[in-house]
């Protein structure tokens, strides 16, 4: 179902490639002064809603800069994220992935809810309806940076920021360029960057398109991404408007099977599911209004207000399930992020903020194939068709104080309320879509559709941390934090027989961590230790039912080290060791798994 993209001619390809090379060379000369060998301290924005020096950060974060992203030129975002400790984006076919940040590689309906995915601090999906592959919806190929917060997010984030936050910084074009790339397996990519400044205003375009035939049969994809930005710097108020659009048409490859199948090219190049596909579109529009007031010499303040609008839709074949039902889903959402930072004195600042979000979400599932007998519990026909409207309100406060020239403390708390209004557009219960029974002991089919209802929950999270500057090059931090995630709508309303909605509650996490950082001349190093415990973990038992009584434990060590030999050469390493264990769960096939490694959890 992929739409072909017309390719440019070979002469144009060669000319444009030479143009790209010449522009890149010019940029390298410009960026030479910001080489790590000059010990310029790294600035990040992901922990809070303003910039912060990484050496004073109370928490663990990794960054891939714009120049590094440009150097890597990743085809898939996993190639860039692999540079960061305990960040693993396990690539599937095309642009698909399964994510891990201080965690197992999550799978299943709620897996995407364990790690927050944002662009410029704005979640790219509404709470309750993420997608495990949703990172293809950001223009990481031309991003101004990739920042990954490891561990529970700060109080500036709410639901979903349990194990971490993956935040992409939207493109910031500083030069005009056009580049084309070509590679094996009929891979072609075009990138365009355009920037124009006039007075206090700046316009920019960042766009790219990809055609990839894939290294397996019938496994290619076409993808287009567009980022439009307008920035205006007034005397008192500044604005930053960003429009982002993405389209993906993918022919999905199924899993090969058999012992050592990956060793045989005649096997691993085949696609067991040439009928599989994924078509997806998404767009986001936001405007960040900000002000920095210095009217009061002793107590200046800053504020930000960011209204946003989002929409996404997706259609894909569940080729990995018996019957291969087709799923369609989508969402339209809008909201406002706001925060106010007040300097109480020269050493203390207080953030107060409120976030509001509304979303309209929908899910459909239809199985065109008959599976065995006509009365099979996985019957041919419509399985689900429901809509969910959500309303979300949150408020937070965060206090930071320098108790001395060496000691900084930070404390914050966030409260959040979310309500789901669910509407079933089919027959209620476990019958077929025409009301007839299935061939089971009680006549029920596999799929259970609840009656219309509303569900809501209140949650809160907090953090408390300290940072101590031991000497100009060495600092140490410690942090205690909690986090939560609301159930996804697919966990609440896309049920199987005998499941109960009331049994599904928000997942809770508690964390403690500590770390050391060293920055001097060309050498930078960081070492982190952490331990996390989760309660009310949503798991799937051996009967395929979702249960909410699980508990897991997570502990580990992370390190990253880099040394700049000169402005052009750097040596770097990053790594982690961890244990992710079941500490309490329902028996699977009558056997307790407590104390076992969690599925897909590498050490």
């Amino acid at each position: 179902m992929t739409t072909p993209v017309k390719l440019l001619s070979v002469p144009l390809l060669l000319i444009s490639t030479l143009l790209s090379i010449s522009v890149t060379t010019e940029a390298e000369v410009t960026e030479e002064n910001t080489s790590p060998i000059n010990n310029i301290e790294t600035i990040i924005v992901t922990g809070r809603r303003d910039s912060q020096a990484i050496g004073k950060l109370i928490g663990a974060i990794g960054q891939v800069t714009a120049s590094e992203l440009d150097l890597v030129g990743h085809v898939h975002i996993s190639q860039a994220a692999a540079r960061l400790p305990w960040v693993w984006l396990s690539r599937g076919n095309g642009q698909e992935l399964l994510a891990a940040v201080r965690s197992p590689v999550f799978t299943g309906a709620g897996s995407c809810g364990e790690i927050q995915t944002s662009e410029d601090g704005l979640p790219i999906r509404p709470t309750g309806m993420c997608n495990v592959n949703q990172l293809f919806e950001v223009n990481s190929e031309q991003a101004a940076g990739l920042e990954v917060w490891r561990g529970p997010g700060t109080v500036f984030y709410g639901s979903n920021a349990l194990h971490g936050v993956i935040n992409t910084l939207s493109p910031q074009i500083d030069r005009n360029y056009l580049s084309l790339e070509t590679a094996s397996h009929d891979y072609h990519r075009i990138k365009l960057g355009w920037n124009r400044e006039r007075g206090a205003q700046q316009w920019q375009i960042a766009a790219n398109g990809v055609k990839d035939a894939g290294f397996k049969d019938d496994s290619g994809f076409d993808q287009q991404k567009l980022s439009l930005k307008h920035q205006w710097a007034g005397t008192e108020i500044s604005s930053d408007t960003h429009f982002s659009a993405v389209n993906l048409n993918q022919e999905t490859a199924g899993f090969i099977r058999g012992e050592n199948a990956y060793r045989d090219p005649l096997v691993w190049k085949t696609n067991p599911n040439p009928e599989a596909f994924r078509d997806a579109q998404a767009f986001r529009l936001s405007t960040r209004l900000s002000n920095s007031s210095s009217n009061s010499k002793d107590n200046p303040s800053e504020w930000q207000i960011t209204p946003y609008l989002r929409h996404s839709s997706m259609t894909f074949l569940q080729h990995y399930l018996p019957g291969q039902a087709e799923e369609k889903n989508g969402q339209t959402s809008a909201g406002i992020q706001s925060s106010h930072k007040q300097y109480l004195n020269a050493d203390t600042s207080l953030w107060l903020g409120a976030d509001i979000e509304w979303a309209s979400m929908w899910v459909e599932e239809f199985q065109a194939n008959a599976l065995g007998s006509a009365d099979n519990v996985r019957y041919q026909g419509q399985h689900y068709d429901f809509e969910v409207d959500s309303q979300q309100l949150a408020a937070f406060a965060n206090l930071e104080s320098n108790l001395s020239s060496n000691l900084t403390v930070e404390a914050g708390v966030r409260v959040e309320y979310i309500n789901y209004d669910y509407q079933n557009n089919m027959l209620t219960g476990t019958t077929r879509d025409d009301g007839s029974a299935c061939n089971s002991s009680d006549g029920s089919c596999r799929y259970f559709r609840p009656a219309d209802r509303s569900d809501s929950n209140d949650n809160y999270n907090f953090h408390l941390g300290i940072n101590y500057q031991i000497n100009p090059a060495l600092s140490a931090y410690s942090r205690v934090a909690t986090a939560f995630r609301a159930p996804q709508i697919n966990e609440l309303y896309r049920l199987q027989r005998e499941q109960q909605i009331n049994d599904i509650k928000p997942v809770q996490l508690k964390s403690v961590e500590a770390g050391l950082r060293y920055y001097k001349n060309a050498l930078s190093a960081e070492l982190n230790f952490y331990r996390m415990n989760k309660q009310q973990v949503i798991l799937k038992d051996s009967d395929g039912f979702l249960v909410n009584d699980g508990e897991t434990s997570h502990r580990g060590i992370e390190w990253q080290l880099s040394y700049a030999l000169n402005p052009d050469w750097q040596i770097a390493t990053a790594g982690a060791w961890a244990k992710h264990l079941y500490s309490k769960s329902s028996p699977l096939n009558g056997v307790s798994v407590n104390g076992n490694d969690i599925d897909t959890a590498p050490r």
Side-chain angles (χ1 to χ4, degrees):
M1 305 187 82
T2 300
T3 304
V5 175
K6 186 177 181 180
L7 300 181
L8 298 175
S9 64
V10 173
L12 179 58
L13 177 66
L14 294 174
I15 294 171
S16 300
T17 303
L18 291 174
L19 174 61
S20 174
I21 293 172
S22 64
V23 173
T24 302
T25 303
E26 181 180 353
E28 287 173 354
V29 174
T30 303
E31 295 173 357
E32 192 173 58
N33 293 330
T34 61
S35 166
I37 202 166
N38 292 319
N39 198 28
I40 303 297
E41 186 164 28
T42 301
I43 302 297
I44 59 96
V45 298
T46 295
R48 306 191 297 227
R49 293 177 184 174
D50 62 351
S51 58
Q52 187 177 13
I54 197 170
K56 299 180 180 179
L57 181 74
I58 303 177
I61 195 168
Q63 183 187 67
V64 183
T65 65
S67 59
E68 289 177 306
L69 290 173
D70 187 53
L71 180 67
V72 173
H74 61 274
V75 173
H76 189 278
I77 193 172
S78 63
Q79 296 165 310
R83 291 174 165 240
L84 304 176
W86 234 138
V87 178
W88 182 251
L89 306 181
S90 184
R91 183 180 182 181
N93 182 73
Q95 291 299 298
E96 296 178 348
L97 63 86
L98 298 173
V101 178
R102 274 193 186 175
S103 68
V105 179
F106 286 113
T107 62
S111 59
C112 49
E114 303 286 337
I115 302 165
Q116 179 66 268
T117 301
S118 302
E119 185 177 42
D120 293 336
L122 287 170
I124 66 172
R125 289 288 194 98
T127 298
M129 194 178 188
C130 57
N131 182 271
V132 71
N133 302 293
Q134 63 192 16
L135 266 170
F136 71 76
E137 293 181 0
V138 297
N139 189 357
S140 63
E141 291 84 352
Q142 295 172 286
L146 173 66
E147 297 180 350
V148 182
W149 179 282
R150 304 189 302 278
T154 64
V155 296
F156 293 83
Y157 296 90
S159 183
N160 296 7
L162 278 86
H163 287 268
V165 177
I166 301 175
N167 186 35
T168 304
L169 308 183
S170 60
Q172 193 65 42
I173 303 300
D174 58 3
R175 56 190 172 90
N176 298 336
Y177 67 89
L178 173 68
S179 68
L180 278 88
E181 304 166 54
T182 185
S184 57
H185 308 297
D186 196 22
Y187 177 87
H188 305 277
R189 177 164 68 180
I190 181 172
K191 289 183 180 179
L192 167 69
W194 178 84
N195 174 56
R196 183 72 176 270
E197 292 187 38
R198 178 169 294 179
Q201 300 189 66
Q202 182 182 45
W203 295 266
Q204 72 169 50
I205 300 173
N208 63 81
V210 179
K211 177 179 175 60
D212 186 356
F215 69 90
K216 297 169 71 69
D217 298 335
D218 301 305
S219 64
F221 70 91
D222 296 326
Q223 178 179 268
Q224 303 84 38
K225 296 184 178 182
L226 173 67
S227 298
L228 304 177
K229 294 182 76 171
H230 174 263
Q231 296 170 309
W232 173 72
T235 55
E236 294 186 359
I237 298 177
S238 299
S239 70
D240 191 337
T241 299
H242 180 212
F243 173 79
S244 174
V246 175
N247 177 68
L248 174 67
N249 303 110
Q250 175 179 299
E251 303 295 342
T252 306
F255 302 105
I256 58 173
R257 292 177 172 83
E259 185 176 1
N260 294 323
Y262 66 94
R263 295 178 182 271
D264 186 351
L266 297 179
V267 176
W268 61 254
K269 287 185 178 181
T270 61
N271 180 5
N273 299 105
E275 71 282 2
F277 70 93
R278 180 185 301 273
D279 294 330
Q281 299 79 38
F283 78 79
R284 296 181 299 279
L285 174 64
S286 65
T287 296
R288 175 171 296 174
L289 301 172
S290 59
N291 167 271
S292 180
S293 173
S294 301
N295 295 333
S296 172
K297 183 178 180 181
D298 297 325
N299 303 102
S301 64
E302 302 172 7
W303 58 260
Q304 291 182 4
I305 298 177
T306 308
Y308 58 89
L309 175 67
R310 301 174 301 207
H311 175 78
S312 63
S313 61
M314 184 182 300
T315 303
F316 65 97
L317 190 70
Q318 301 179 77
H319 63 278
Y320 42 84
L321 294 179
Q324 295 190 328
E326 181 179 285
E327 177 181 337
K328 296 181 179 180
N329 63 61
Q331 59 84 22
T332 299
S333 54
I336 298 176
Q337 277 190 352
S338 65
S339 63
H340 177 81
K341 180 181 180 180
Q342 182 71 48
Y343 293 89
L344 304 181
N345 55 51
D347 297 314
T348 304
S349 55
L350 173 67
W351 284 261
L352 297 174
D355 298 337
I356 303 172
E357 184 173 282
W358 166 88
S360 177
M361 304 168 277
W362 55 273
V363 175
E364 298 178 13
E365 181 177 306
F366 179 83
Q367 181 176 311
N369 303 322
L371 186 64
S373 68
D375 294 328
N376 193 292
V377 292
R378 293 181 181 267
Y379 61 84
Q380 181 182 21
Q382 193 81 30
H383 298 164
Y384 300 102
D385 182 357
F386 62 85
E387 302 172 12
V388 179
D389 291 337
S390 68
Q391 305 84 38
Q392 186 174 354
L393 302 172
F396 64 88
N398 192 79
L399 182 70
E400 183 183 56
S401 181
N402 298 318
L403 299 183
S404 70
S405 59
N406 294 333
L407 181 63
T408 301
V409 298
E410 185 174 9
V413 62
R414 181 187 181 97
V415 293
E416 190 167 291
Y417 166 83
I418 187 168
N419 179 73
Y420 294 135
D421 291 318
Y422 160 81
Q423 176 182 315
N424 176 32
N425 297 325
M426 293 182 61
L427 293 173
T428 299
T430 58
T431 65
R432 293 166 55 93
D433 54 359
D434 61 1
S436 60
C438 284
N439 185 22
S440 61
S441 58
D442 58 359
S444 63
C445 303
R446 182 179 181 87
Y447 313 104
F448 172 53
R449 300 173 292 273
D452 296 355
R453 57 181 289 153
S454 293
D455 297 280
S456 61
N457 57 73
D458 302 298
N459 294 284
Y460 77 93
N461 63 300
F462 73 87
H463 67 194
L464 175 64
I466 61 172
N467 185 80
Y468 185 74
Q469 197 71 38
I470 300 171
N471 59 49
L474 181 64
S475 64
Y477 81 90
S478 181
R479 180 174 185 254
V480 177
T482 63
F484 64 91
R485 80 162 175 91
Q488 300 292 301
I489 62 172
N490 278 329
E491 294 173 317
L492 282 175
Y493 308 118
R494 194 175 183 169
L495 302 178
Q496 298 182 32
R497 55 184 178 178
E498 301 179 23
Q499 289 184 238
Q500 296 294 324
I501 292 177
N502 296 331
D503 295 337
I504 307 298
K505 300 178 177 64
V507 180
Q508 304 289 337
L509 180 143
K510 299 176 182 178
S511 169
V512 59
E513 62 181 299
L516 291 168
R517 296 190 184 94
Y518 181 86
Y519 299 100
K520 189 172 183 180
N521 298 328
L523 177 66
S524 65
E526 183 171 337
L527 183 65
N528 304 286
F529 306 86
Y530 68 89
R531 186 181 186 103
M532 303 186 295
N533 292 292
K534 290 171 65 177
Q535 296 81 37
Q536 297 175 187
V537 178
I538 302 174
L539 302 170
K540 184 170 287 188
D541 65 14
S542 54
D543 293 319
F545 299 149
L546 290 177
V547 294
N548 197 195
D549 60 352
E551 294 184 11
T552 59
S553 65
H554 313 262
R555 61 184 186 271
I557 303 171
E558 305 160 341
W559 66 87
Q560 49 188 344
L561 177 69
S562 66
Y563 181 76
L565 301 174
N566 57 50
D568 299 315
W569 287 91
Q570 175 178 286
I571 298 175
T573 180
W577 174 90
K579 276 189 176 182
H580 304 282
L581 307 175
Y582 293 109
S583 52
K584 178 185 175 183
S585 64
S586 299
L588 299 179
N589 295 319
V591 178
S592 173
V593 295
N594 296 345
N596 289 7
D597 284 351
I598 298 174
D599 303 355
T600 65
R603 289 288 179 94

